[in-house]
Amino acid sequence: MAAGTLTRADIAAKINQQIGLSRNESAAIVESILDHMSDALAGGQNVKISGFGTFVLRDKAQRIGRNPKTGVEVPILPRRVMTFRASQTMRARVAGK
């Protein structure tokens, strides 16, 4: 595969080729998996996929930021952020090892 972006349609097409499900069934499976992962993250759960990586939620506290243009201090509100940490297997694969 050339450099670019892997889309939902690409994943569904690969499932269609390798498993032989119809395109609609393949797309439904991809949507179901992504919906389940999204629901878990929205519910405050981390998502770990063995051999791939972990989507981790972190709660950040309120802090004081600064407008770089004016120098005025502005409070940054508390928020929840999501990060992705690739597994060792994935890191090695991406690095070509």
Side-chain angles (χ1 to χ4, degrees):
M1 181 174 204
T5 302
L6 181 68
T7 65
R8 293 174 188 217
D10 295 335
I11 296 169
K14 195 68 165 177
I15 290 171
N16 172 260
Q17 290 172 355
Q18 290 189 342
I19 298 176
L21 296 175
S22 72
R23 287 196 184 273
N24 288 340
E25 289 172 327
S26 299
I29 288 172
V30 171
E31 287 300 319
S32 176
I33 291 168
L34 294 176
D35 285 344
H36 190 64
M37 289 173 58
S38 297
D39 291 345
L41 290 165
Q45 295 178 327
N46 293 334
V47 175
K48 182 174 184 176
I49 301 172
S50 181
F52 185 75
T54 306
F55 295 90
V56 179
L57 296 173
R58 278 188 33 211
D59 291 319
K60 291 191 155 195
Q62 181 172 336
R63 62 188 174 94
I64 300 296
R66 188 178 306 275
N67 182 333
K69 188 173 183 180
T70 63
V72 174
E73 289 187 350
V74 179
I76 299 174
L77 300 176
R79 63 199 185 282
R80 177 173 281 172
V81 296
M82 180 183 67
T83 59
F84 176 75
R85 181 161 170 86
S87 70
Q88 292 288 15
T89 306
M90 180 60 70
R91 289 183 201 175
R93 190 167 180 182
V94 169
K97 296 180 181 177

